Amino acid sequence: MLTEIRIDGLGVISTATAQFHEGLTVLTGETGAGKTMVVTSLHLLSGARADAGRVRLGANRAVVEGRFTLDEVNATARGDAEQVLEAAAAVADEDGTVIAIRSVGSDGRSRAHLGGRGVPASVLADFTAPLLTVHGQNDQLRLQRPEQQLRALDQFADAAVGPLLREYTEQRRAWLDARNALLERTARSRDMAVEAERLTQALAEIDGIAPEPGEDERLVAEIRRLSDLDSLREAAATAHEALAGPEDDPGENAGALDALGVARSRVEGSEDPALSALGPRLADAIAVVVDLTTELSGYLSDLPSDPGALDSMLTRQAELKSLTRKYAPDIDGVLAWADDARTKLESLDVSEEALAALAAEAEAGADRVRAVAVKLSQARTTAAGELAAAVSEELGGLAMGKARLDVEVRPVPAGPQDSAPLLIDGTELHAGPGGVDEVELRLAAHSGAQSLPLNKSASGGELSRVMLALEVVLAGNEHGVTMVFDEVDAGVGGRAAVEIGRRLSRLARTHQVIVVTHLAQVAAFADTHLVVNKSDDGEGAVDSGVRALTQDERIVELARMLAGLDDTETGRAHAWELLNIARAERMAAS
C-alpha cells in the first residue's frame, strides 16, 4: 500500500507531499493545477520512461519519493515485492516501510533507488508491479489490445485457468525443445553425415598409427643419439680403456684402475702412519673408478648394434609428424583431439533409428500439449460467459444499462512458417506462450445492437467505464493492491458519475484506490479528499501543492466542482447534500 509521496521539481509542482490512507482517496483541483503530475510521479515510480520535459522550468532535476508498506497487501503481492527487495539487497525503514525514489535530470538522465540501494529503473518496476496499478488514458487504450484482454480473462478465471496455463507452459517448452531438435537434426542430417565420416576416417588414421603419449619427444632424443652413434661409441670406449686398460694388452698400458691399485698397496705397506693413512682414500677412489667402468660398459652394450634402427625411427617419426600436421602441434594434443572426436561422434547419430526416436518424442510432446490446450480453451470459454455477464451487470450500474459486453474466445490459426504449429481437431493452430486462444472483448452499446470490438464500438467515456467495471469484477483476486485512476470518469456526467463513485467506493473496500477526478459526484464518495492548489507569483511563475481538505473545505471544493458555485449558499447546500448522500450509501454498503 502507498502511504506517502513526495514530489520535487515535477511540472508545475516545486515541492509537494501527500499522505495516503486506506479506502478511496480523490485528488481534485482546477485545470492546469498539476493533478496529472501526481499520476506522472506514480508512473515514474512504476519504472516508466523518464521525460526531461517534465522537469520543472529552472530546476536541475525532478525527484519523486514514494513510501510503501507491505502489511496490508495480499500474500502473493507481498512475496513478489519481498523477493525483489532481497535480490536488490534493499532494506525497509525502522517502521517497516520501503522507500522508492526516482529522479530525472534536466539532461534526461534518470536514477532510481529502492530501500537505500541504487537500482535500475526496471527493478523499481518489478517492485511496484504487484503493489501499484496505474490506469490513465493510455492504460485504457491498452485494454483494446488482445493480449491485455486475454490477461483479464485469465485473471478472472485464475482458479480454473491458472493450473492449466502453468501445465501448458511446461509441456509446451518440452515439446518445442524436442521439435526443434528434430528439425535441426533433419536439416543438418547431410552435414552431420559428412562430419561423422570425416571424424571416422581421422580416428581410423590415428588408431592405425597408434601413437603413445610423449612418443614424439622421445623419438627426437633417440634419433639424435643414433645420428652420433660412432662418436658416442668411440668416446665411451676410450674412457673405459683409460680407466680399466686395454683388454688385449694388460701390460705397460694399464689403466687408471691398475695404477690406483699399485698406489694403494705401496701406501698401505708403508710403516709411516701419515702415508698409510692415505690408504682408505685410495680405496674410495678405486671404488668410484670401478663404478664408472661398470657404467661405461653398460652404456657401450646398450648402444644399438642394428644399422637399420635409425631408419626405423625416422620412419616412425614421419608417421607421427603426419598426425601433428593435421590434428595438433604434438602427439599429446593429437590424443586429446581423438578423445574429443570420439565424444562428438557419439552425438552425431544420423541413423534412421535416431531420427525416428526424435520424431516419436516430438509427437508425444505435441499430444501432451494438445490435450492441455483443449482443456485450457474449454476453461476459458466457460469463464468468458461468466466474465461477460458480470461486467455487463456492472455496466448496467454505470448508466450503460442497455450495454452488453461479450467475451469471445477463438483459436489462433497457424501462419506460414509458424514456429509452433499444433494440429487440433483437424485445424493447425498457433501454440503461443499463452495457449492456442485469442480473446476479444466486444461491446454492444445498446439492446439490439451488434457487438463490435472495443476499439470500434466504445467512446472514451464508455471505454473508461468498461475498464472500471472490469476492475470491480477482478478486484477479488488482488486484495490490498493500490489502484490509481486518472480521470476514469472522462466523458461522463450526471447519474453515470454517481455510479462511478459508487463502484470506486466499492472497489476501495478491498483495495487502496486513488482517483484523479473533475466530477463532484465521484469526489463525494472519497474517504480522503486531497486538492491540488495552484498559485501564481504575479510574474508568470506557477506553483502547485497538495493538501488534505477538512470537512468544511470539502464542501467548498465540491461546490466549485459542481458549477463553480463555491462562493454561494446554494452551491454549498448542493455540495453538502451530495456529500451526505454518498456518506449514507457508503455506510449502508459497509
Side-chain angles (χ1 to χ4, degrees), residues 148-227:
Q148 294 294 327
Q149 297 177 10
L150 176 62
R151 183 171 175 269
L153 176 60
D154 287 350
Q155 181 182 346
F156 173 75
D158 183 65
V161 170
L164 291 173
L165 185 56
R166 288 188 288 273
E167 181 183 358
Y168 169 86
T169 301
E170 180 179 347
Q171 296 293 352
R172 177 180 181 270
R173 184 183 301 112
W175 166 56
L176 288 182
D177 288 345
R179 180 178 182 273
N180 292 336
L182 174 61
L183 292 175
E184 181 182 2
R185 182 67 62 90
T186 302
R188 295 186 57 236
S189 59
R190 183 178 181 278
D191 293 339
M192 292 171 66
V194 172
E195 177 70 1
E197 179 64 21
R198 183 184 73 84
L199 293 176
T200 300
Q201 291 178 357
L203 289 173
E205 180 183 12
I206 294 172
D207 292 341
I209 295 176
E212 298 179 358
E215 184 181 359
D216 50 342
E217 296 180 358
R218 292 196 301 273
L219 269 179
V220 169
E222 289 297 323
I223 290 172
R224 185 180 294 115
R225 289 183 64 203
L226 289 180
S227 298

Side-chain angles (χ1 to χ4, degrees), residues 86-137:
E86 182 178 355
V91 295
D93 275 9
E94 294 180 356
D95 60 358
T97 60
V98 180
I99 296 179
I101 302 175
R102 183 80 180 277
S103 63
V104 183
S106 57
D107 58 358
R109 295 183 179 179
S110 169
R111 292 183 178 180
H113 292 80
L114 179 65
R117 297 282 184 174
V119 296
S122 60
V123 174
L124 273 192
D126 293 339
F127 173 73
T128 57
L131 306 176
L132 181 66
T133 303
V134 182
H135 294 285
Q137 297 283 331

Side-chain angles (χ1 to χ4, degrees), residues 36-335:
T36 302
M37 288 301 101
V38 177
V39 179
T40 299
S41 66
L42 295 177
H43 272 296
L44 287 173
L45 290 180
S46 299
R49 185 180 66 86
D51 182 2
R54 295 290 191 181
V55 179
R56 181 176 171 81
L57 185 64
N60 293 326
R61 61 176 181 168
V63 181
V64 179
E65 178 181 319
R67 186 181 293 271
F68 294 85
T69 177
L70 306 182
D71 294 339
E72 303 297 329
V73 300
N74 61 75
T76 301
R78 181 169 60 252
D80 292 343
E82 288 175 343
Q83 187 174 2
V84 175
L85 289 175
E86 182 178 355
V91 295
D93 275 9
E94 294 180 356
D95 60 358
T97 60
V98 180
I99 296 179
I101 302 175
R102 183 80 180 277
S103 63
V104 183
S106 57
D107 58 358
R109 295 183 179 179
S110 169
R111 292 183 178 180
H113 292 80
L114 179 65
R117 297 282 184 174
V119 296
S122 60
V123 174
L124 273 192
D126 293 339
F127 173 73
T128 57
L131 306 176
L132 181 66
T133 303
V134 182
H135 294 285
Q137 297 283 331
N138 292 333
D139 301 278
Q140 296 169 22
L141 294 178
R142 283 202 294 269
L143 183 60
Q144 300 176 359
R145 299 177 184 174
E147 66 272 15
Q148 294 294 327
Q149 297 177 10
L150 176 62
R151 183 171 175 269
L153 176 60
D154 287 350
Q155 181 182 346
F156 173 75
D158 183 65
V161 170
L164 291 173
L165 185 56
R166 288 188 288 273
E167 181 183 358
Y168 169 86
T169 301
E170 180 179 347
Q171 296 293 352
R172 177 180 181 270
R173 184 183 301 112
W175 166 56
L176 288 182
D177 288 345
R179 180 178 182 273
N180 292 336
L182 174 61
L183 292 175
E184 181 182 2
R185 182 67 62 90
T186 302
R188 295 186 57 236
S189 59
R190 183 178 181 278
D191 293 339
M192 292 171 66
V194 172
E195 177 70 1
E197 179 64 21
R198 183 184 73 84
L199 293 176
T200 300
Q201 291 178 357
L203 289 173
E205 180 183 12
I206 294 172
D207 292 341
I209 295 176
E212 298 179 358
E215 184 181 359
D216 50 342
E217 296 180 358
R218 292 196 301 273
L219 269 179
V220 169
E222 289 297 323
I223 290 172
R224 185 180 294 115
R225 289 183 64 203
L226 289 180
S227 298
D228 298 332
L229 183 61
D230 292 339
S231 60
L232 292 174
R233 181 178 284 111
E234 181 183 357
T238 301
H240 185 274
E241 183 177 334
L243 294 177
E247 295 180 359
D248 55 352
D249 187 10
E252 295 181 355
N253 297 323
L257 190 60
D258 288 340
L260 287 171
V262 172
R264 178 185 177 188
S265 63
R266 294 291 180 90
V267 168
E268 290 179 345
S270 174
E271 295 180 358
D272 185 0
L275 184 61
S276 61
L278 298 176
R281 294 176 63 184
L282 286 168
D284 292 340
I286 291 172
V288 171
V289 172
V290 169
D291 289 343
L292 288 172
T293 302
T294 302
E295 290 184 18
L296 286 170
S297 297
Y299 178 82
L300 285 168
S301 63
D302 288 342
L303 288 176
S305 58
D306 181 7
L310 179 60
D311 292 339
S312 298
M313 290 185 181
L314 290 172
T315 300
R316 179 63 175 174
Q317 187 181 48
E319 291 177 343
L320 297 181
K321 284 185 176 180
S322 69
L323 298 180
T324 56
R325 282 195 300 268
K326 295 179 181 179
Y327 307 111
D330 54 36
I331 288 302
D332 288 347
V334 170
L335 293 173

Side-chain angles (χ1 to χ4, degrees), residues 15 93 119 150 163 170 181 187 214 232 243-244 304-305 309 368 376 390 399 417 452 458 467 529 557 569:
T15 299
D93 275 9
V119 296
L150 176 62
E170 180 179 347
L232 292 174
L243 294 177
S305 58
R368 291 190 290 269
L376 182 59
Q417 306 300 319
L452 296 173
M467 185 189 69
H529 191 152
E557 176 65 7
E569 290 298 327

Side-chain angles (χ1 to χ4, degrees), residues 532-582:
V532 182
N533 287 326
K534 178 174 65 174
S535 61
D536 192 330
D537 63 1
E539 298 180 1
V542 176
D543 192 9
S544 294
V546 181
R547 64 185 182 87
L549 298 182
T550 65
Q551 181 74 5
D552 291 339
E553 290 172 333
R554 286 192 72 184
I555 298 299
V556 175
E557 176 65 7
L558 291 176
R560 181 197 64 78
M561 296 174 69
L562 283 168
L565 301 176
D566 50 308
D567 57 351
T568 68
E569 290 298 327
T570 302
R572 294 181 183 182
H574 191 182
W576 181 261
E577 180 182 8
L578 181 61
L579 194 62
N580 284 335
I581 292 173

